[in-house]
Amino acid sequence: MSRNRFEELLSNLHFANNETIVQNNRLGKVLPLVDILMVNYQKVFSPGKDIIVDETMVPWRGRLVFRQYIQTKSHKYGVKLFKLCSTKGYTWSLKIYSGRDTGGKRKVGIAESVCTELADKLLKEGRTLFVDNFYTSYELALKFLNSKTHVVGTIQRNKKNMPSCVMSYPLKKGEMVAREDPNGIVVLKWRDVRDVTILSTKNPPIMTPSSNSSWRGRPTKMKPLAISEYNIGKSGIDRSDQMVSYATNIRKTIKWYRKLAIYLLLGTTIVNAQYSTQKKKTVSPLGDPQKSAREACKKDVRTLLQKEKKMVERQQARKNLKKTTYCLNCLKSPQMCLDCFNEFHAT
């Protein structure tokens, strides 16, 4: 294909029929493609017990009514996508943010509505949802707990319906304070370099050894179990964005929907295609929330203690490892341990 033909095809690339697009629909140019992708994403892969909801940015600096600015992102200006991913980085569902609704007063906040919409088909199966402080709220935790789904997420300082005795309690480094309500929702604050506040419907407020605390003989560092699980589970979105960035699909264009479609086709879809097709597995539903949380906690504590024991055993084995040496002057240069070498080659 010649360059001129490629540029002509690219300039006429569309993803929806202009005659059938619903008026006043900001996403009408790209919505049919997104619907097709969502059906196929959810058909070939089933997330495990842990799922993550977060946002990502598709870079765009042109004129667009729903263009967003997020200072903490690598691409600060662009189209915001809400994504639900597995811990391996598979994008199972997504939603394009098209600005504030104009159809009247919203009954629930945008954070709660996004989590409910993305995870609607995965509820009542005993999964755990990991979110950051933009999404975490007491209402979301209670709503998902009634749908037999756990929620673990960090909390903003000024969040409503949070216990003031925890949020304002002064702590020294390594200390923790927590409160639990009758529904099994735990709010805890732990002091490390700074205060870290987290909400969990799954983990009781107990301290466990950090997975990398004994590295190179360092003293064991204790950390709340909820924070340890949050750090592991929340990495799914970052892993997805990282794999998309390896082969950039950013193309210069004056059409925002074309740039967004190319990102989904040559970025997200290519990353998802690396995962093999898996049969949908049924996750055991939650029974009593408090009982299931404690049973899961006991299992997690046993796993962490076993890992800690194996790590100590490996360190001890390295210390007791016998080093071998050999003499170039001996016949065939036999290898011997250090004690034998010093005994037979003392000079």
Side-chain angles (χ1 to χ4, degrees):
M1 182 186 298
S2 65
R3 183 194 64 180
N4 293 340
R5 178 171 172 77
F6 173 77
E7 291 181 350
E8 184 179 359
L9 292 175
L10 186 62
S11 64
N12 291 278
L13 184 62
H14 288 266
F15 306 96
N17 188 348
N18 292 336
E19 297 179 357
T20 60
I21 293 178
V22 180
Q23 293 183 354
N24 300 326
N25 187 351
R26 295 174 177 175
L27 302 177
K29 292 279 190 178
V30 74
L31 200 58
L33 174 65
V34 174
D35 293 339
I36 294 173
L37 292 177
M38 290 304 99
V39 171
N40 287 277
Y41 288 172
Q42 299 173 12
K43 183 187 300 182
V44 301
F45 187 87
S46 178
K49 63 177 183 178
D50 297 331
I51 53 178
I52 310 100
V53 169
D54 203 353
E55 69 273 352
T56 189
M57 296 286 285
V58 179
W60 177 259
R61 281 184 171 268
R63 293 183 178 180
L64 189 62
V65 65
F66 51 87
R67 188 190 67 173
Q68 295 291 298
Y69 171 77
I70 302 179
Q71 186 177 5
T72 57
K73 299 295 183 181
S74 57
H75 300 289
K76 295 179 173 56
Y77 291 92
V79 181
K80 182 163 68 174
L81 302 180
F82 296 107
K83 299 200 303 184
L84 185 147
C85 294
S86 69
T87 53
K88 295 181 179 180
Y90 185 93
T91 302
W92 193 82
S93 180
L94 62 86
K95 174 182 173 62
I96 305 171
Y97 179 69
S98 59
R100 184 174 299 177
D101 295 336
T102 58
K105 189 176 180 180
R106 188 188 295 111
K107 296 181 179 179
V108 297
I110 183 173
E112 183 178 343
S113 63
V114 165
C115 293
T116 304
E117 181 178 348
L118 294 181
D120 182 53
K121 299 179 181 178
L122 301 176
L123 300 178
K124 299 183 179 180
E125 295 183 352
R127 289 184 169 86
T128 301
L129 173 67
F130 293 93
V131 290
D132 61 15
N133 55 17
F134 175 75
Y135 305 92
T136 308
S137 64
Y138 183 84
E139 294 78 11
L140 177 70
L142 188 61
K143 182 177 181 179
F144 272 59
L145 196 59
N146 292 332
S147 298
K148 300 183 179 180
T149 302
H150 286 301
V151 174
V152 179
T154 53
I155 311 173
Q156 296 177 354
R157 288 186 176 182
N158 57 350
K159 207 69 174 181
K160 296 181 180 179
N161 300 324
M162 295 298 168
S164 58
C165 57
V166 174
M167 307 301 287
S168 61
Y169 193 87
L171 296 174
K172 296 181 180 179
K173 188 173 182 178
E175 293 182 342
M176 177 185 69
V177 63
R179 289 293 183 272
E180 181 177 359
D181 74 345
N183 297 310
I185 301 176
V186 176
V187 176
L188 67 86
K189 183 168 72 172
W190 173 64
R191 177 74 179 185
D192 188 24
V193 178
R194 58 183 179 84
D195 289 339
V196 181
T197 312
I198 197 166
L199 178 147
S200 175
T201 64
K202 178 181 180 181
N203 311 113
I206 61 173
M207 303 290 284
T208 58
S210 177
S211 59
N212 58 351
S213 59
S214 299
W215 182 67
R216 291 188 178 179
R218 294 181 180 178
T220 302
K221 182 179 180 180
M222 303 301 291
K223 183 183 296 186
L225 178 60
I227 295 179
S228 298
E229 287 205 358
Y230 176 83
N231 292 337
I232 297 173
K234 192 63 170 56
S235 61
I237 294 284
D238 298 332
R239 187 174 292 110
S240 173
D241 294 340
Q242 180 184 7
M243 290 189 291
V244 170
S245 66
Y246 287 153
T248 178
N249 48 70
I250 299 176
R251 298 293 183 270
K252 185 177 181 180
T253 177
I254 62 174
K255 302 295 184 181
W256 68 267
Y257 61 86
R258 190 178 300 158
K259 197 165 192 176
L260 178 60
I262 292 176
Y263 175 88
L264 295 176
L265 289 172
L266 302 182
T268 304
T269 304
I270 296 299
V271 171
N272 284 358
Q274 299 179 12
Y275 295 87
S276 59
T277 303
Q278 297 183 2
K279 294 182 179 179
K280 293 193 175 183
K281 299 179 180 179
T282 303
V283 183
S284 57
L286 299 178
D288 182 11
Q290 296 182 1
K291 182 178 179 181
S292 60
R294 283 168 172 75
E295 290 177 354
C297 173
K298 291 179 181 178
K299 183 178 179 180
D300 294 335
V301 170
R302 285 196 298 267
T303 303
L304 290 173
L305 292 177
Q306 289 174 359
K307 291 181 179 179
E308 184 72 17
K309 183 178 178 181
K310 290 181 180 179
M311 190 178 300
V312 174
E313 291 177 353
R314 285 196 298 268
Q315 292 178 352
Q316 190 65 27
R318 291 193 190 99
K319 293 180 180 179
N320 298 333
L321 182 64
K322 291 185 176 180
K323 293 180 169 49
T324 59
T325 184
Y326 61 93
C327 178
L328 293 174
N329 297 325
C330 293
L331 184 63
K332 297 183 179 179
S333 300
Q335 295 186 3
M336 294 180 287
C337 66
L338 187 60
D339 296 335
C340 296
F341 184 85
N342 293 331
E343 180 179 354
F344 290 100
H345 290 77
T347 57

